[in-house]
Every structure is written in structure tokens, then in C-alpha cells.
Amino acid sequence: MNGIKIKGTGRCIPERVIKNEEFTKWIDTSDEWITERTGIKERHVVTTETACDLASGACLSALENAGKTPEDVDLLIIGTISMDHVTPSLACEVQKRIGAKNAVSFDINGACAGFLFALDTAASYINTGCYKSALVVGIEVLSKIVDWTDRTTCVLFGDGAGAVYVEADETRPFYMVQGTKPDNWEVLNCKAREIESPFAIRESYPKLSDHVFMNGREVYQFAVTTVPKAIQNVLDQAHLAPSDISCYILHQANVRIIQSVAKRLGEPMEKFPVNMMRYGNMSSASMPVLLDEIHREGRLEEGKYILLSGFGAGLVYGATILKW
Ligand code: ACO
């Protein structure tokens, strides 16, 4: 049986905090609206930090937690939609910064499921025997791609990075379900930065936003219907019942989505840790940051099953079970 073990977790969060009240200085909103609709109370945003700073900080924190050095890393995969450069990948920059000289590095764009897709990819490579270890990162600097005058999106997001260090472990099976439903991908989009080409003819191209645009209701409906099915599918694959899972790490977009998933699975909210009240939706960084928090709080028990599930732009979704 193939498998992996998460041997260390880490995070790096920028210092600057924006509390809900601060938004009322420039947009028509309120702490009550944001708290009731999302559960979010505050989020962190970068001031001088780059994506490379945050991702490297999270990697070093995960390595220290695992008792490993950068030279121990065979594979470095970063899930992100807000890297510093179009090319090279953020992973290559981070590899140089932390001195992971034996690794191969690349990024994955899986939006809010980016960390999960990166973890699934790392586990799949490890299970083929190609590599023995990996650093898997979720990092976002969404503050540089949101429209700070659009109250329907800017209050939702935050910046941060989380990382895990994993190694092959045959005693810890790994199960995953992934999916994409691209039919109405426009409901959550952000155009790539581009210069005007003198040859480009774009009339038939869908109109996209220069900043993050989201039809919140559509994404909400997608999440509350797709996530429970994905979770059930991965439970079936592992021949487990919902009650066999000790902890559900879900993407931290909205506490109401998490409550709805818990209800559909018939599982108590105590099994669904939340941190969106302190960070907002950090897209691919949400799950690894939460994992790091609860790991360091001693809330994960050796040998117990945990389940991670995320969804986001694409529309994409995934659910993964592993043994802690
Ligand atoms: N403050 C006050 N009022 C607001 C705000 C705000 N910040 N934003 C919107 N409103 C208003 C709207 O204009 C609307 O007013 P109207 O009725 O007069 O038109 C009203 O509030 C209700 O708006 P809705 O969009 O219907 O509110 P809803 O209850 O759906 O909550 C939310 C919106 C929080 C975005 C919710 O739909 C949601 O969480 N959706 C899922 C988002 C998500 O999960 N994203 C994850 C993927 S992100 C990624 O991949 C990067």
C-alpha cells in the first residue's frame, strides 16, 4: 500500500491586520454584514512582503517543525494564483531562497483547491517512487488582485502562506477525489495582466474582470452541493464512514458553507475547525494554515484519519483522506 506522512507544518502570515470596521471608511458595508454572511472578522494583508517572502517563511517553518533541512526536499510544489511573476514559477524562486538545492519545483493553479491539488500531486509522485519527500505550499497575496472598492469581494479575502513537509510512508494510505466543472467558469475569474498585442482579435472572448470577480451565490451553491458529494466519494473509496474521520479541514471561504457540509454529513461542528474569522479566505493558503494551527495546538491525534476538502475558481473541487 502506498502512502505519505505529513511530518511537519508551517505558516507565515503578514503583520498588517484589517478589521471589518476599517472597511467602513471607504465602502458601504458593516461588521454585522460581513460577520453574519461569512464569519470573517479580520484578515491580514501584505505591506512590504512578497509572495516569495511568505512562501519561503512557511516552508522554513514546516521544515523546522519536521526536523528537516532544505537539502532533504526532493520536490517543491506551490499552489497559488497570486505569484510574484508569470515566469519563473514562485516555486523556483522559493527553492533558491530557502536553499532546497536537491529539489525540483513548480506551481499549480488550482485556486482555492490549489494546496489540495499540490498535495495530491506530491503524493502521486511519491507513490510512483520518483521522489521520497516533498514540501507542499499554499500561498496567496490576494490583496494585489482584488478591487478594494468592490464590497462584494474585497471584504472576503486575505493574504498568507501555509506549508507541509511530507515523506513516503507505506503505513499511511492516501485517498483522493478531484473534479473540475468548467461550464460556467466565468462566475469566479480574474484576467491575466497583459500588454496590447497589435495582432490580437478578442471580440468573441468572454468579458473578464481585471480584478477578482465573483458571483458569490453561484459559487456558494456549487460549494454546498459539490463538497459533500466529493467527501462522500472519497470516504467510499477508503471504505470509511463520516464518523471515522477525526477532523475535517475544509477550505475557509464562509462558515455557513462549512456548517452546511457538517449538517449534510451528520457530523458535529467540533470536528470542523475554522479560522476564517482571523484570516478571511486565503484561497490556497487557507487549508495549510489551518492545518498548521491545529497541529501546533495538539489537536491532531497520531494514527487518526483526517479529511481535507476544497473548492474554487474553475470551478474545481477535491477531497483527500490521509492518516495523521
Ligand atoms: N457589505 C454590505 N452589503 C453587501 C456586501 C458588503 N460587503 N457585499 C454585498 N452586499 C449586498 C449585495 O449588494 C446584496 O444587496 P442587494 O440585495 O441590495 O442586491 C446583498 O448584500 C446580498 O448579497 P449576496 O451576494 O446575495 O449575499 P450572500 O448572502 O450570497 O453572501 C457571499 C455573499 C458571502 C459572497 C456568499 O455568497 C459566499 O460566501 N459565496 C461563496 C464564496 C466562496 O466560497 N468563494 C470561494 C472561492 S474563492 C476563490 O477561489 C479565490
Side-chain angles (χ1 to χ4, degrees):
M1 167 80 69
N2 292 320
I4 59 161
K5 176 169 173 55
I6 295 183
K7 292 200 140 183
T9 62
R11 66 181 184 274
C12 184
I13 305 292
E15 275 180 28
R16 173 73 160 91
V17 174
I18 304 180
K19 292 186 184 299
N20 287 349
E21 293 78 12
E22 197 174 335
F23 285 104
T24 60
K25 290 182 192 163
W26 71 90
I27 51 173
D28 181 14
T29 189
S30 64
D31 176 41
E32 294 71 37
W33 192 96
I34 302 169
T35 306
E36 273 172 27
R37 302 282 176 134
T38 70
I40 299 165
K41 297 295 283 182
E42 59 187 44
R43 71 289 293 142
H44 294 244
V45 293
V46 297
T47 50
T48 56
E49 305 93 337
T50 63
C52 186
D53 293 337
L54 296 184
S56 303
C59 284
L60 293 173
S61 158
L63 286 171
E64 188 185 14
N65 185 246
K68 297 286 173 176
T69 67
E71 287 84 7
D72 293 321
V73 180
D74 292 345
L75 180 64
L76 169 55
I77 311 182
I78 297 188
T80 188
I81 57 168
S82 49
M83 55 282 177
D84 293 323
H85 307 110
V86 172
T87 194
S89 69
L90 178 58
C92 286
E93 278 188 84
V94 171
Q95 180 184 353
K96 180 178 177 196
R97 176 83 70 88
I98 67 172
K101 58 184 183 197
N102 301 316
V104 59
S105 309
F106 56 89
D107 293 351
I108 284 184
N109 180 338
C112 298
F115 169 76
L116 202 58
F117 283 7
L119 184 66
D120 292 345
T121 305
S124 304
Y125 272 114
I126 286 172
N127 288 345
T128 66
C130 253
Y131 304 110
K132 290 196 166 51
S133 66
L135 260 179
V136 183
V137 187
I139 148 78
E140 301 295 357
V141 183
L142 298 173
S143 60
K144 69 183 179 191
I145 58 170
V146 300
D147 176 353
W148 285 95
T149 64
D150 175 8
R151 69 176 183 170
T152 69
T153 50
C154 74
V155 301
L156 304 174
F157 300 108
D159 300 340
V164 297
Y165 173 83
V166 304
E167 279 184 3
D169 184 338
E170 292 194 349
T171 67
R172 287 179 163 76
F174 184 90
Y175 305 95
M176 68 187 193
V177 162
Q178 300 175 319
T180 55
K181 292 195 172 177
D183 286 351
N184 58 348
W185 63 265
E186 296 92 340
V187 300
L188 181 43
N189 76 72
C190 178
K191 207 163 83 172
R193 301 288 181 265
E194 58 183 32
I195 55 160
E196 208 51 53
S197 157
F199 310 107
I201 301 168
R202 291 272 166 75
E203 277 153 19
S204 60
Y205 210 66
K207 188 168 162 23
L208 300 178
S209 172
D210 285 329
H211 296 93
V212 173
F213 163 83
M214 181 167 65
N215 180 329
R217 280 189 189 177
E218 292 243 15
V219 179
Y220 190 96
Q221 281 312 318
F222 169 77
V224 296
T225 51
T226 311
V227 172
K229 282 187 203 154
I231 290 176
Q232 194 53 59
N233 287 346
V234 76
L235 285 167
D236 291 346
Q237 198 190 113
H239 303 292
L240 296 171
S243 57
D244 294 323
I245 302 297
S246 64
C247 184
Y248 289 85
I249 314 270
L250 265 50
H251 174 48
Q252 302 288 298
N254 187 318
V255 71
R256 291 187 292 143
I257 293 174
I258 295 173
Q259 287 163 342
S260 164
V261 172
K263 198 170 162 196
R264 283 195 198 204
L265 290 171
E267 287 289 282
M269 265 308 277
E270 294 75 60
K271 282 191 178 183
F272 293 74
V274 290
N275 68 2
M276 85 285 289
M277 56 284 199
R278 282 176 282 117
Y279 300 114
N281 174 353
M282 295 185 289
S283 190
S284 69
S286 283
M287 277 188 270
V289 168
L290 179 60
L291 194 56
D292 183 51
E293 287 191 329
I294 60 172
H295 174 217
R296 285 170 193 261
E297 285 163 14
R299 290 167 66 186
L300 295 170
E301 269 183 76
E302 173 82 17
K304 298 268 185 189
Y305 286 109
I306 66 166
L307 190 151
L308 294 88
S309 182
F311 63 91
L315 296 164
V316 301
Y317 62 91
T320 291
I321 293 175
L322 47 86
K323 220 179 216 185
W324 192 255

